Amino acid sequence: MTLPKQVEIIEVGPRDGLQNEKNILTPELRVQLIERLAKAGLKKIEAGSFVSPKWVPQMAGTDLVLDQLNASPVKQQTGVKYAALTPNLKGLEGAIQHRADEVAIFSAASESFTQKNINCSISESLKRFEDIMAQAQQINLPVRGYVSTIVGCPYEGGIAPEKVAEVTKHLYEMGCYEVSLGDTIGVGTPIKFKQMLEAVMKDVPVNKLAVHCHNTYGQALANIYTSLEYGINKIDAAVAGLGGCPYAKGASGNIATEDVLFMLNGMNIPTGIDLDEVVSIGNWICDQLGRENQSKVGLANK
Ligand code: HMG
Ligand code: MG
């Protein structure tokens, strides 16, 4: 198998990370974090979510965050794109009003997780997304899709690869320019990833797929390497391994951006991102949050 010649890292720390931190950051600090990441070379950053503040209070103020980001010269200087999660039309309205560059819709391969996460069934979620897609397409707003619980669910246990393939295909055919495959609770192993990817890739071209690996059981880098071998060249990661998922008890954050970068640098796969700067951002944001850095590379260079 040939490894990709270059890899895009999608920085999800300011959304996936901060949404599950005990300490809630001000919009100003969130903007500072995001702009430092943009200056370090990250070209796509999830800046927040337009979800219910009762469900996820950490993401309240995403409107203010986007307004500040859009008013700042950093956006033009770096060419960064800012994404926001939108579970329904109300969320999409917010994302459009506050000029997100793209939006993300999110479902799962497990019924119980979808119910707990967005209060509806998988098929209801897909129906809602059709309305989002129709409106987004009218204004050429790119829509990314997420499938959560791609190998395991906190409520249902193991997930069949065929179910992941079905939801991924649905999102892709609906018009998502890319679908990110989320190992929400980090229980995947390389063999489970292989089985899942082989099922998904029967229907969806590899260049339309990304992986999103939470590192709860320390398997994320192994699973990412396996995904690279299958030709996937888009990887979600969170600076300092921040966060987790509020609807997946015990789940820890995504693989740290620093750790993915160290591995890719070691394989001579270019990303255009300054590892030293991301290490410094990771240690800084952990101080702000009063938490331990989850990045091995960050800790080794503290
Ligand atoms: P619901 O309660 O079913 O919605 O929630 P509703 O339509 O009945 O509305 C109830 C209230 O929420 C109303 O307010 C609405 O206005 C408000 P009230 O009248 O009670 O004051 N509301 C909203 N407010 C702000 N923005 C909105 C919005 N929609 C309704 N967009 C809903 C449904 C989806 C909104 C809710 O379940 C929710 O917000 N869930 C949060 C989901 C979330 O953010 N999860 C974490 C992100 S997903 C993730 O982390 C996984 C991922 O990383 C991949 C992986 O790791 O696998 C992507
Ligand atoms: Mg996640």
Side-chain angles (χ1 to χ4, degrees):
M1 290 189 185
T2 45
L3 292 164
K5 297 226 166 357
Q6 59 182 45
V7 163
E8 178 187 15
I9 296 186
I10 295 95
E11 173 60 49
V12 298
R15 190 280 303 172
D16 193 312
L18 297 185
Q19 76 180 9
N20 204 37
E21 290 292 337
K22 259 199 327 283
N23 292 326
I24 300 185
L25 297 186
T26 60
E28 288 68 29
L29 254 178
R30 286 157 68 186
V31 168
Q32 212 181 324
L33 169 65
I34 293 166
E35 293 202 323
R36 283 193 68 179
L37 290 163
K39 288 188 208 155
L42 284 140
K43 291 275 177 265
K44 194 177 294 173
I45 303 178
E46 278 189 353
S49 309
F50 287 95
V51 297
S52 163
K54 286 188 193 138
W55 288 60
V56 189
Q58 292 91 335
M59 289 292 102
T62 292
D63 48 352
L64 302 175
V65 170
L66 277 172
D67 285 349
Q68 290 179 36
L69 292 170
N70 282 318
S72 152
V74 173
K75 188 164 180 194
Q76 304 301 329
Q77 286 160 4
T78 59
V80 62
K81 301 271 185 231
Y82 297 125
L85 259 57
T86 54
N88 53 19
L89 281 176
K90 185 177 167 77
L92 179 70
E93 239 170 66
I96 294 173
Q97 198 182 340
H98 298 280
R99 295 193 292 134
D101 296 305
E102 66 171 69
V103 296
I105 53 182
F106 47 107
S107 190
S110 135
E111 280 298 346
S112 347
F113 182 82
T114 310
Q115 201 68 51
K116 289 265 197 299
N117 193 29
I118 48 176
N119 207 20
C120 63
S121 66
I122 298 174
S123 65
E124 280 164 347
S125 76
L126 297 173
K127 180 81 196 68
R128 275 184 201 172
F129 297 159
E130 273 167 25
D131 299 335
I132 294 184
M133 185 61 78
Q135 290 206 13
Q137 282 177 339
Q138 274 178 15
I139 54 167
N140 289 324
L141 181 66
V143 181
R144 190 174 199 240
Y146 270 110
V147 183
S148 286
T149 61
I150 54 159
V151 279
C153 164
Y155 314 106
E156 290 178 20
I159 294 290
E162 293 69 32
K163 186 68 197 172
V164 184
E166 183 190 315
V167 181
T168 309
K169 180 174 183 235
H170 198 113
L171 289 172
Y172 172 61
E173 288 183 346
M174 186 189 280
C176 289
Y177 77 87
E178 178 177 302
V179 182
S180 180
L181 302 166
D183 182 8
T184 317
I185 52 171
V187 290
T189 54
I191 192 75
K192 288 190 183 157
F193 259 64
K194 279 182 190 190
Q195 290 161 350
M196 180 277 300
L197 288 174
E198 279 170 16
V200 169
M201 285 166 60
K202 280 187 193 146
D203 297 312
V204 181
V206 65
N207 64 352
K208 302 291 178 188
L209 295 171
V211 287
H212 176 105
C213 301
H214 285 263
N215 199 27
T216 320
Y217 291 88
Q219 304 294 301
L221 278 182
N223 296 333
I224 288 169
Y225 186 81
T226 301
S227 307
L228 292 171
E229 284 190 318
Y230 274 77
I232 288 181
N233 67 356
K234 294 172 205 80
I235 297 168
D236 295 359
V239 62
L242 296 178
C245 176
Y247 300 102
K249 196 165 174 285
S252 55
N254 263 261
I255 184 67
T257 309
E258 301 89 310
D259 297 5
V260 178
L261 278 172
F262 187 89
M263 180 174 83
L264 293 171
N265 288 351
M267 294 159 71
N268 294 321
I269 298 181
T271 59
I273 301 163
D274 180 344
L275 172 59
D276 292 342
E277 183 52 21
V278 181
V279 165
S280 149
I281 299 167
N283 284 320
W284 165 77
I285 197 64
C286 287
D287 287 345
Q288 300 298 318
L289 287 162
R291 63 161 292 168
E292 280 279 302
N293 195 334
Q294 299 301 302
S295 163
K296 288 280 185 196
V297 176
L299 288 173
N301 290 284
K302 208 166 154 76

